[in-house]
Amino acid sequence: MASSMRSLFSDHGKYVESFRRFLNNSTEHQCIIARIGDTKREIKILSIGGGAGEIDLPILSKVQAQYPGVHINNEVVEPSAEQIAKYKELVFAWHKETSSEYQTRMMEEKELQKWDFIHMIQMLYYVKDIPATLKFFHSLLGANAKILITVVSGTSGWDKLWKKYRSRFPQNDLCQYVTSSDLTQMLDNLGLKYKCHDLLSVMDISDCFIDGNENGDLLWDFLTETCNFNSTAPPDLKAEILKDLQEPEFSIKKEGKVLFNNTLSFIVVEA
């Protein structure tokens, strides 16, 4: 691996930009929102890694529709100040428009109280001890409560990409290569009851095959978790990945586009 390659997480601005390109080119949020269904006088929701609120907002809307007139107490743990600012703007605007009986707060520290619903949308990659994290938040569930987790599926292109190339990507201690196959094994080891469903999702990576394409360059960064991958990766590594991304195990070709297998797993853990 060339010494000039560095982790995408070393440049926060570049990571956010490449992540946005990933969302714009994938069906990830659409498939999660379509899957959200049913989850008293007050409903307490804890969002771990709430991001900019794009998924939290549909969750809140679903809960409000299911329980009209019920007070929703939504609390958020999100380390990025930039994401929190966007979250407040989006979710508070929804609250004003709907005039719902609702309040939200950004948690400053862990508070040991019971929750009706905890969701962890695409965030378990970024904790150091996943089993301990699962065990802790499971202990915070009230009676009949649930945790919703989404991670990439063990059948996705990510699984194949990570298994084959992880040792050749820049190493970092901020992200773990974990899929639903790993996570369900952890849940089994903890003796927790859960259900797991796959959500079909794709990411259009056609621009990755066009030299000098800005969108393609940022998608390369996100795929490899490497800052400026196109300009710093050894040519043989790029050529090898480029070839693999066109293989059926990684992607499908449809209507002239190359669609990367971004299949997610939707895991519901019971109290």
Side-chain angles (χ1 to χ4, degrees):
M1 181 180 68
S3 60
S4 59
M5 289 178 68
R6 60 190 178 97
S7 170
L8 184 58
F9 298 98
S10 66
D11 187 329
H12 177 70
K14 179 60 74 72
Y15 173 80
V16 171
E17 188 176 5
S18 65
F19 177 64
R20 288 292 162 192
R21 296 302 178 101
F22 159 70
L23 291 180
N24 291 341
N25 283 270
S26 78
T27 59
E28 177 159 311
H29 278 183
Q30 295 94 315
C31 76
I32 293 176
I33 292 168
R35 178 68 191 181
I36 296 168
D38 296 342
T39 350
K40 17 192 214 141
R41 292 174 63 175
E42 179 185 53
I43 297 175
K44 298 171 69 176
I45 300 174
L46 178 59
S47 169
I48 309 299
E54 296 103 325
I55 297 298
D56 286 28
L57 183 57
I59 289 174
L60 292 169
S61 297
K62 291 279 188 180
V63 173
Q64 182 198 38
Q66 182 71 20
Y67 302 98
V70 174
H71 179 80
I72 302 172
N73 179 7
N74 182 59
E75 303 206 9
V76 185
V77 179
E78 167 55 54
S80 168
E82 181 180 352
Q83 295 286 69
I84 282 293
K86 292 179 179 178
Y87 189 107
K88 289 180 177 179
E89 182 180 352
L90 180 65
V91 179
F92 287 177
W94 167 81
H95 170 45
K96 185 176 181 180
E97 290 175 6
T98 60
S99 299
S100 61
E101 193 63 28
Y102 160 87
Q103 70 181 48
T104 196
R105 184 165 65 90
M106 309 305 160
M107 295 180 67
E108 298 295 331
E109 57 186 26
K110 294 174 183 174
E111 301 174 15
L112 300 180
Q113 54 181 298
K114 296 296 183 180
W115 301 90
D116 298 306
F117 183 53
I118 299 173
H119 58 89
M120 302 176 174
I121 310 295
Q122 293 290 63
M123 55 73 59
L124 283 174
Y125 318 106
Y126 309 108
V127 299
K128 293 186 181 297
D129 190 335
I130 296 175
T133 300
L134 293 170
K135 185 176 180 180
F136 171 75
F137 284 107
H138 186 265
S139 73
L140 301 184
L141 291 178
N144 302 314
K146 292 178 173 59
I147 298 175
L148 166 63
I149 300 168
T150 64
V151 292
V152 295
S153 171
T155 66
S156 70
W158 293 107
D159 181 74
K160 284 76 175 173
L161 185 70
W162 291 341
K163 284 180 178 176
K164 185 170 182 178
Y165 294 105
R166 63 193 301 173
S167 64
R168 299 170 69 182
F169 293 154
Q171 302 301 301
N172 71 83
D173 60 357
L174 296 177
C175 181
Q176 298 194 55
Y177 297 112
V178 60
T179 70
S180 60
S181 299
D182 305 304
L183 196 57
T184 52
Q185 182 62 59
M186 294 176 193
L187 291 168
D188 287 337
N189 291 341
L190 290 168
L192 300 181
K193 188 176 180 180
Y194 65 90
K195 293 181 180 179
C196 181
H197 308 275
D198 270 3
L199 309 176
L200 299 181
S201 172
V202 295
M203 173 172 58
D204 184 354
I205 59 171
S206 306
D207 287 345
C208 291
F209 300 89
I210 304 173
D211 288 336
N213 184 282
E214 180 189 9
N215 189 55
D217 287 348
L218 288 166
L219 290 175
W220 268 115
D221 289 357
F222 192 80
L223 279 166
T224 63
E225 296 185 349
T226 303
C227 191
N228 300 317
F229 177 84
N230 257 344
S231 60
T232 62
D236 62 323
L237 175 60
K238 180 181 176 183
E240 192 175 344
I241 299 176
L242 198 65
K243 180 178 181 297
D244 275 344
L245 288 177
Q246 300 179 75
E247 297 298 323
E249 310 95 90
F250 291 84
S251 306
I252 61 171
K253 295 181 179 180
K254 185 177 181 180
E255 299 176 353
K257 296 180 179 180
V258 181
L259 305 176
F260 183 74
N261 183 343
N262 186 55
T263 298
L264 306 172
S265 287
F266 189 97
I267 303 172
V268 179
V269 184
E270 300 183 13

